[in-house]
Amino acid sequence: MRRAAVIVIGAGPAGCAAATVLAEAGHDVLLVDRPAGSRRALAESIPPSAKRLLVELGMDRAVAAAGFQPWTGNSVWWADAPPRVETFTPDATGYQVERNRFDAVLRDVAIAAGAQRLPGVVRDVDLPSVTIDANGEVAQVTAPWVLDCSGRAGVIARKGLRMSEPSHRTVALAGIWRATMPWPPEKEGHTLVASHADGWAWSVPVASGLRYVTLMVDPERSHLTRGASALDLYRAELDKVAPFAPWLEHALLEDGPWGADASLYGASQHAGPGFLLVGDAAAFIDPLSSFGVKKALASGWLAGVVVHTLLIAPEMQAAALSFFEARERAIASSFRQQAARYAVDAGEGHPFWEARASVPEGGRVFRPGEFAGPEGPASIDTALLARDPDVLSA
Ligand SMILES: Cc1cc2nc3c(=O)[nH]c(=O)nc-3n(C[C@H](O)[C@H](O)[C@H](O)COP(=O)(O)OP(=O)(O)OC[C@H]3O[C@@H](n4cnc5c(N)ncnc54)[C@H](O)[C@@H]3O)c2cc1C
């Protein structure tokens, strides 16, 4: 049976970040990478502020060299508010990425740092042992630390730690559109976001004249479960997004639609003896924030630092795990509260938004303004954070 110092399950942003940090620190890291197969990937916006993390992880040059479309700003139509156009300065753009290509870039960085990639699917975890189906061959590997970076699949998280929110089931329906007449050049790199009474929509450009247009629908409130074809449903939902009409009038649906689960969830526990839940394996935040990848990279970085500490100073276990638990819990909670605020702004009285305008926490349901947990990211005092002993020790 093979042994490793750390097994990382999943080679998304969280897994690649953790594997890179740990491999660079000289540990024997096994990165289990599920082959993409026929699964469809979405296009996503990576915010300018994520670049600092990419630098910290040594991934910035590889991402910059991959030639992704720059994210140059946002055009937003939210509820009854006047349309908002926000254009980033040229030195502060983000990236518009096709996720399968983006993840491949991050994975190459992790491998270059020394992580060993094993293409395969984790079938079971019985700590410290992990069962991997690698191209039809079953392998057993053990490690003192196993990181669940498997995203929504939650290989370890689903063993009783996942907390789903039944009132918050959302499906993303995605399609790829090609312009038959050029879109306004000044908005070529803009993410478009629009809300309506029954959901919201957003569009991410990935190349000149090519955009993903994704619609967020509640399967309980749409006809998703009642036999309508995905294409009919997609077109019916798209008709509700009036601000996108001028963009799509001269464009053709080139691919799709296909669906992806976008329901929110959290975790009752983020770490324990022998394991950590990292990135989306622990908590899925509202995609409206466009912070999912950044949160996953940060979570992977933190997990790498914590597990490095655990490997070189096992006597620190209790302190290191409770540090990780507290940080991850606070971040998930603040994003969860932010999502509820978006819902309040989007439309009181509409069932889709009403169901999303409250936060279940500690057995109670809070409305915005009543939250007991930490405040949202906007209110974080970075000067205070820079003096925080926990941050300094990390
Ligand atoms: C509709 C939608 C829109 C979004 N838009 C944005 C956006 O614009 N910007 C943004 O920053 N974020 C966005 N997000 C969020 C973002 O996709 C996630 O937060 C991010 O991918 C989390 O990274 P991760 O590494 O934790 O998980 P993932 O990216 O899900 O990676 C998990 C990895 O684990 C692998 N895996 C799963 N099971 C196994 C197994 N059994 N064995 C081995 N490997 C396994 C998977 O194949 C995958 O490679 C969006 C999400 C959705 C659903």
Side-chain angles (χ1 to χ4, degrees):
M1 186 184 293
R2 186 175 165 207
R3 279 187 59 82
V6 189
I7 300 170
V8 176
I9 305 172
C16 291
T20 301
V21 169
L22 285 160
E24 265 174 1
H27 301 294
D28 176 13
V29 179
L30 184 70
L31 177 61
V32 187
D33 180 16
R34 183 172 70 172
S38 57
R39 277 190 318 280
R40 310 293 305 268
L42 291 172
E44 297 180 1
S45 304
I46 311 295
S49 60
K51 283 185 171 170
R52 205 163 148 200
L53 260 171
L54 292 171
V55 170
E56 189 61 39
L57 289 160
M59 295 171 163
D60 54 318
R61 290 210 189 125
V63 172
F68 294 113
Q69 168 92 19
W71 178 11
T72 58
N74 296 312
S75 298
V76 182
W77 298 266
W78 201 251
D80 301 328
R84 183 166 59 83
V85 176
E86 175 192 21
T87 300
F88 304 152
T89 56
D91 59 341
T93 56
Y95 296 109
Q96 308 282 25
V97 304
E98 288 145 310
R99 275 296 305 278
N100 44 4
R101 205 156 71 78
F102 180 72
D103 289 9
V105 173
L106 305 190
R107 190 184 57 215
D108 286 348
V109 174
I111 293 168
Q116 282 198 39
R117 172 183 177 234
L118 177 63
V121 181
V122 169
R123 294 290 179 211
D124 194 22
V125 178
D126 185 9
L127 294 170
S129 176
V130 176
T131 307
I132 303 162
D133 180 346
N135 223 356
E137 292 207 356
V138 175
Q140 296 272 353
V141 187
T142 63
W145 291 98
V146 180
L147 305 189
D148 183 356
C149 303
S150 64
R152 188 170 290 272
V155 178
I156 297 177
R158 284 185 193 258
K159 289 176 178 277
L161 303 177
R162 175 137 315 162
M163 293 161 58
S164 302
E165 289 185 36
S167 65
H168 207 303
R169 288 194 57 215
T170 308
V171 170
L173 287 175
I176 304 177
W177 292 76
R178 186 174 290 281
T180 52
M181 269 171 58
W183 284 317
E186 72 281 7
K187 289 196 180 170
E188 186 91 90
H190 273 220
T191 296
L192 315 179
V193 184
S195 73
H196 57 87
D198 302 329
W200 60 279
W202 100 106
S203 169
V204 173
V206 290
S208 183
L210 200 65
R211 281 184 169 271
Y212 284 57
V213 177
T214 306
L215 310 171
M216 310 298 278
V217 300
D218 186 331
E220 305 297 328
R221 291 173 217 289
S222 70
H223 297 287
L224 204 58
T225 49
R226 293 175 215 151
S229 81
L231 182 59
D232 288 346
L233 179 67
Y234 183 76
R235 294 225 179 251
E237 291 292 319
L238 195 54
D239 283 346
K240 299 175 184 172
V241 192
F244 285 11
W247 289 75
L248 300 181
E249 197 180 0
H250 301 290
L252 293 174
L253 180 62
E254 188 174 88
D255 198 2
W258 70 93
D261 193 350
S263 310
L264 301 198
Y265 55 79
S268 57
Q269 188 185 335
H270 295 73
F275 77 91
L276 275 73
L277 308 185
V278 190
D280 274 16
F284 181 74
I285 62 173
D286 200 313
L288 198 47
S289 69
S290 289
F291 275 145
V293 168
K294 183 179 165 186
K295 172 183 152 292
L297 289 170
S299 178
W301 174 82
L302 190 63
V305 172
V306 164
V307 172
H308 172 64
T309 306
L310 294 166
L311 289 168
I312 61 166
E315 70 281 5
M316 297 275 292
Q317 177 163 321
L321 290 186
S322 69
F323 169 67
F324 184 78
E325 181 74 44
R327 291 284 151 190
E328 294 292 291
R329 189 176 290 280
I331 286 167
S333 167
S334 69
F335 276 113
R336 186 63 193 82
Q337 293 165 23
Q338 191 190 52
R341 288 190 189 98
Y342 295 142
V344 169
D345 291 347
E348 218 146 335
H350 297 302
F352 178 94
W353 294 109
E354 280 288 315
R356 288 158 176 77
S358 48
V359 181
E361 218 170 74
R364 281 188 57 197
V365 175
F366 294 91
R367 302 274 306 175
E370 311 173 332
F371 298 129
E375 280 304 310
S379 67
I380 288 174
D381 181 341
T382 47
L384 202 64
L385 210 56
R387 295 195 301 274
D388 182 318
D390 285 345
V391 173
L392 289 173
S393 67

